[in-house]
Amino acid sequence: MAATAGPISQQRKCIGVDCGNDAGSLQCPACLKLGKESFFCAQDCFKRSWSEHKALHKSLSNPLSALFPPKVVSKPDPATGHVNPFPTFTFTGPLRPVYPLSPPREVPKSIPWPDYAKDGIPESERVFVNRNKISVLSEKEQDAMRKVCRLAREVLDIAAREVKPGVTTDWIDQVVHKACIERNSYPSPLSYYHFPKSVCTSPNEVICHGIPDQRKLVDGDILNIDVTLYHEGFHGDLNETYYVGPKAVADPNSVRVVEAARDCLDEAIKIVKPDMLFREPGRVIEKLAKERGCSVIKTYCGHGINQLFHCAPNVPHYAKNKAVGKAKPGVCFTIEPMISLGTYKDKTWPDDWTSVTIDGSRTAQFEHTLLVTEDGVEILTARLEDSPGGKVPMPVGADSTSDQKVDGTAEAK
C-alpha cells in the first residue's frame, strides 16, 4: 500500500507506532480522503503501523452514519444479481465496480506462502532497522529471481490471451490463480495488506490496484494486468496494458497513452547500469510522456523486490524527485510508469485499493523486474517471442501528441 506525498513541515513528527522521527512528506491516502492530515517518516514506517493506524479511519468517518445509514442503496440486478457496492460514491469516470466478488481462492498448503498470507500483514517488510538498506543479491539469489520472473512472465502471457470483449476480470483472476498454482507458486497480491484477489486488473481510468470483479470487458477498453508470483522465497513482478477488441486499437487516445507508457518504460531501462541514481529514470519518463501530451502519475513508484514484495529502493517516475541511492550490480528493482491522458492526480475508491484519475482520463502502465549487472541491466521479465500484445501503430491520420491538455483539468473523452 502506497503513501501519498504532501508538503513538508519541520515541526511535524511521524505518527507511526513507536516512532519519534521527524515526519517526511508521506501521508496516508485514506486519511487524506477523510480530510485528516497524517504524516509519516517513511513508506516502511507507514506499512509497519498500518494495522493500528487503519483503526483511526472509522473514527474519522461521519459518526452519524452508524446511527442513520444512507437511504440510497444499490439493489441487485434481478437478472444477474450484480450490484454497485458504492452507490453514493462520486466516481470520476464511467467505470463502476460490479459485485459481488467471487469467494477467496485457496492456495494449497504444499506451496510455500509469504508471511502475510494468513493475516495480511507483511511483517518482513515492517522491520524498522535498516529499512532503507538496498539488498545486493548473491549469484544464487539472482538465479532464484530469474526463475520466479520467468514463471511470472508465463502467467502474465496466459492471462493476456484471455483478454477479449465479454470476459470478466474475475475470470482473468481465476486464470492467473490456476496458472500460479500449476507452477508451485503463490500469487503475491493475494492477502497482501488484505488485497482480496490474486492479480490486479485495471481498466481504462484505473491507474493501478484494480480488484477483479464481475464487470465484462467491452470492445474499446484498455486493461492493465499486474502479475506477481512468490516462488521458493522470491517475488517476480511485471505488468502490461492490453487493447480489448478492434475499437481500442482504432482509438487514437487509447493508442497514444498505451504506447507512451510502453515507450517510457523502454527508454528508462536503457539508462539502467551500475551507479545510475534512482532518481534518474523519472527524468527520462516525464520528458517522453510530456512529448506525447501525457502526464505521469506521481503517487506510486517502482520498488526494490527480492525476498520482499516491496522494499528499498523507491524509484519515482517523475522528474526532479528526491529518490536516494544508486544502482549496484546484484540489485533487483522494478520500473513501472503509470501514464495518463489527462491529470496526474488520483483518487481511491471506497474499496481502499482501486486508484483512478480524478478527471476520469485513461491511463496505461508497463512494468519489468530488472537486475543490475556489472555492465548494464538484465530484464528478468522480458517478453518472449510468442508473448501476446505488443506495440501498435497510431491509427492512420491520428496525431501522436494530443488535443487534450495535460493540466489537471482535461475531461475524459
Side-chain angles (χ1 to χ4, degrees):
M1 177 176 292
T4 304
I8 298 176
S9 170
Q10 296 298 327
Q11 306 301 317
R12 296 190 182 100
K13 288 292 183 180
C14 176
I15 67 169
V17 176
D18 297 327
C19 180
N21 293 339
D22 290 336
S25 61
L26 300 179
Q27 289 197 65
C28 169
C31 286
L32 281 177
K33 186 169 63 179
L34 294 168
K36 173 71 174 179
E37 289 188 347
S38 55
F39 289 87
F40 292 82
C41 62
Q43 177 81 8
D44 289 342
C45 188
F46 175 69
K47 292 179 179 179
R48 181 172 59 85
S49 305
W50 173 247
S51 59
E52 292 86 354
H53 174 73
K54 67 180 180 180
L56 296 174
H57 299 155
K58 290 185 179 180
S59 63
L60 291 172
S61 300
N62 183 0
L64 296 178
S65 63
L67 299 174
F68 305 103
K71 295 182 179 180
V72 179
V73 178
S74 177
K75 296 182 179 180
D77 185 306
T80 64
H82 294 164
V83 64
N84 172 6
F86 316 121
T88 61
F89 180 71
T90 302
F91 291 91
T92 64
L95 196 71
R96 299 291 182 273
V98 181
Y99 278 41
L101 299 181
S102 58
R105 307 193 195 281
E106 296 183 357
V107 179
K109 294 291 182 65
S110 58
I111 294 176
W113 291 9
D115 63 350
Y116 55 81
K118 291 184 178 180
D119 64 3
I121 305 301
E123 296 293 343
S124 57
E125 294 183 9
R126 291 155 59 96
V127 177
F128 193 71
V129 178
N130 292 329
R131 68 174 184 265
N132 293 320
K133 182 179 180 181
I134 299 173
S135 296
V136 176
L137 304 183
S138 67
E139 289 293 339
K140 183 177 180 180
E141 291 171 327
Q142 292 176 35
D143 286 341
M145 285 297 297
R146 290 186 179 95
K147 182 176 182 180
V148 67
C149 287
R150 183 178 68 252
L151 296 175
R153 164 53 67 182
E154 292 175 2
V155 173
L156 178 61
D157 287 354
I158 289 170
R161 293 185 179 99
E162 300 295 319
V163 174
K164 57 187 176 183
V167 168
T168 66
T169 49
D170 183 71
W171 169 251
I172 292 174
D173 180 74
Q174 181 178 333
V175 168
V176 167
H177 189 88
K178 180 174 182 289
C180 289
I181 302 306
E182 290 173 347
R183 286 158 179 78
N184 202 42
S185 301
Y186 182 98
S188 300
L190 183 63
S191 296
Y192 184 75
Y193 285 103
H194 308 290
F195 189 80
K197 293 296 179 180
S198 298
V199 66
C200 297
T201 53
S202 302
N204 301 340
E205 69 263 29
V206 179
I207 298 166
C208 60
H209 303 159
I211 297 175
D213 63 13
Q214 306 302 325
R215 178 185 178 272
K216 293 181 179 180
L217 298 175
V218 299
D219 189 1
D221 283 345
I222 56 175
L223 177 71
N224 179 271
I225 303 177
D226 193 338
V227 166
T228 313
L229 267 63
Y230 180 73
H231 182 82
E232 297 179 352
F234 290 81
H235 296 270
D237 190 5
L238 78 162
N239 73 59
E240 292 192 22
T241 301
Y242 301 95
Y243 300 97
V244 182
K247 288 184 179 179
V249 176
D251 175 40
N253 277 336
S254 293
V255 173
R256 177 161 57 85
V257 72
V258 171
E259 299 309 322
R262 191 195 313 272
D263 292 344
C264 281
L265 175 59
D266 290 346
E267 291 302 309
I269 291 174
K270 289 178 181 179
I271 71 168
V272 178
K273 61 182 179 180
D275 294 326
M276 179 204 73
L277 300 176
F278 287 118
R279 64 173 180 257
E280 284 301 300
R283 174 182 56 80
V284 174
I285 290 167
E286 183 160 330
K287 180 177 183 295
L288 179 54
K290 286 184 174 180
E291 289 172 355
R292 303 288 181 87
C294 297
S295 61
V296 179
I297 304 299
K298 298 182 178 181
T299 304
Y300 306 97
C301 61
H303 54 87
I305 185 168
N306 39 62
Q307 294 94 332
L308 303 179
F309 193 173
H310 298 90
C311 58
N314 285 339
V315 187
H317 302 120
Y318 56 92
K320 299 181 181 179
N321 66 76
K322 305 300 182 182
V324 298
K326 60 183 180 180
K328 297 179 180 179
V331 170
C332 272
F333 65 96
T334 72
I335 300 179
E336 45 187 297
M338 287 147 271
I339 307 300
S340 168
L341 281 172
T343 181
Y344 67 88
K345 297 179 180 180
D346 61 283
K347 181 178 182 177
T348 303
W349 282 4
D351 60 22
D352 290 331
W353 280 107
T354 306
S355 178
V356 297
T357 51
I358 65 169
D359 60 0
S361 57
R362 289 195 167 191
T363 71
Q365 181 187 17
F366 288 82
E367 175 187 20
H368 278 308
T369 294
L370 309 171
L371 170 64
V372 183
T373 63
E374 292 291 342
D375 58 357
V377 61
E378 182 179 346
I379 305 174
L380 301 184
T381 50
R383 290 174 56 85
L384 307 175
E385 288 187 4
D386 62 344
S387 291
K391 201 166 182 62
V392 167
M394 284 294 294
V396 176
D399 186 353
S400 62
T401 56
S402 172
D403 59 348
Q404 187 173 8
K405 296 181 180 179
V406 185
D407 59 1
T409 62
E411 296 293 328
K413 295 186 176 182

